[in-house]
Amino acid sequence: MRKFLTAVLALLVLSSGVAHAHQPVILLGTDTTAAKGPLLVDGTISFAVRAAFTKAEEKRAFRAQLNQGDALSVQYLIVDKKPERALRISKLPALVITDPTGSKIKVKLNERTKFYEPYGKVNYLYLARYQAVAKSGVYNFVARSKGKAAITIAVGDKEVMGEVLRGNAPAPEPTVSATPTPTPTASATPAGYTMAKVRANNSTASCWSAINGNVYDLTKWINSHPGGSGPIIGLCGTDGSAEFAAKHEGQSKPESRLSGYLLGPLAK
């Protein structure tokens, strides 16, 4: 019988004051491969996976289940204090994500953004954030140490309690259709999301926008947009195609970042 991990719900609050819940998961010394590590049954739910290393070449690993079209959201954080704060990027654990097809993504540590978590009164540093549209299946996360260090890997962004299992992944239930299962955050018709649904999500708590025929949930981008929160808030509940094109048309980085917030097509 599979054992469930239980954890206390911690509140992580961004600098804007918007609360985000991250369910803690502690990786054990025996979690040396993804198959041995815990499984996040729904990888879109917000988890804070914590790994501590005592020496070089140690591994900690876990898995996350995602559906086709889900938003894969991953952040790499460290506590803003010694010894982690004093470590060079080259001395921090490397994180590699393997998608269900076997393709590997090496997470690049390319930022150093301060982040205060008032629930535990802890200062963190964001070192990397990765966004993508998920493929259906299990994603493997493996962190390999280069010395003594502790890191937090945040996965998902839905503010509800999630299920964590140890052991083999549950067998998928047979389906009668190859149609991808939509994410539970919003229901879409077969034709896509209606403009009425977009207009209903017009606040900083739930910010949707239609851009170039697709619908995006930009709620998480409000606080991480390099140009400030204002331009994103202005897109909430609207068709933002013209505004996005005016600012970012032809720029690969904003378009790539936008793809990580895709919900689905706009209904015709």
Side-chain angles (χ1 to χ4, degrees):
M1 184 175 181
R2 298 184 181 93
K3 293 175 62 180
F4 287 86
L5 295 178
T6 52
V8 178
L9 189 65
L11 295 179
L12 296 182
V13 180
L14 297 178
S15 58
S16 67
V18 179
H20 296 271
H22 292 266
Q23 181 176 338
V25 176
I26 308 299
L27 296 184
L28 309 176
T30 53
D31 297 331
T32 54
T33 68
K36 294 178 180 178
L39 169 69
L40 313 182
V41 175
D42 182 348
T44 66
I45 291 176
S46 189
F47 292 93
V49 183
R50 294 164 185 167
F53 305 90
T54 59
K55 59 184 179 181
E57 297 303 315
E58 288 184 325
K59 289 183 180 179
R60 299 288 184 271
F62 65 97
R63 299 159 289 163
Q65 175 79 43
L66 289 152
N67 293 320
Q68 184 73 31
D70 281 348
L72 172 63
S73 176
V74 182
Q75 298 91 38
Y76 184 119
L77 306 96
I78 60 170
V79 176
D80 188 11
K81 66 179 183 180
K82 292 183 178 179
E84 283 73 23
R85 181 178 61 194
L87 291 174
R88 291 177 296 176
I89 292 295
S90 61
K91 296 298 182 181
L92 285 165
L95 175 61
V96 175
I97 305 169
T98 304
D99 73 17
T101 69
S103 297
K104 296 184 182 297
I105 306 121
K106 184 175 181 180
V107 175
K108 296 181 180 179
L109 307 187
N110 55 8
E111 67 172 299
R112 199 173 181 87
T113 305
K114 289 183 179 292
F115 169 73
Y116 178 65
E117 184 261 289
Y119 184 85
K121 299 181 179 180
V122 178
N123 288 302
Y124 285 90
L125 292 170
Y126 277 116
L127 298 187
R129 291 179 245 202
Y130 178 79
Q131 300 276 349
V133 176
K135 301 170 184 175
S136 181
V138 175
Y139 280 73
N140 293 338
F141 298 76
V142 179
R144 182 195 294 267
S145 68
K146 300 174 184 179
K148 185 176 181 179
I151 63 173
T152 297
I153 303 164
V155 178
D157 54 21
K158 292 180 189 173
E159 300 173 22
V160 296
M161 290 296 288
E163 187 178 18
V164 185
L165 299 176
R166 286 192 177 273
N168 295 326
E173 296 181 3
T175 58
V176 296
S177 171
T179 303
T181 303
T183 59
T185 47
S187 58
T189 66
Y193 295 87
T194 65
M195 197 62 209
K197 188 69 174 177
V198 173
R199 285 192 290 268
N201 289 270
N202 61 355
S203 70
T204 56
S206 182
C207 175
W208 292 16
S209 184
I211 299 174
N212 298 330
N214 287 315
V215 176
Y216 300 87
D217 182 350
L218 305 181
T219 311
K220 295 296 182 180
W221 205 4
I222 291 173
N223 295 298
S224 59
H225 183 242
S229 61
I232 304 303
I233 292 172
L235 298 177
C236 299
T238 72
D239 186 322
S241 303
E243 290 83 351
F244 186 82
K247 293 285 186 181
H248 299 302
E249 188 171 35
Q251 299 176 13
S252 60
K253 189 171 181 178
E255 291 181 356
S256 175
R257 185 68 180 272
L258 179 66
S259 69
Y261 301 105
L262 177 67
L263 287 174
L266 179 65
K268 301 294 186 182

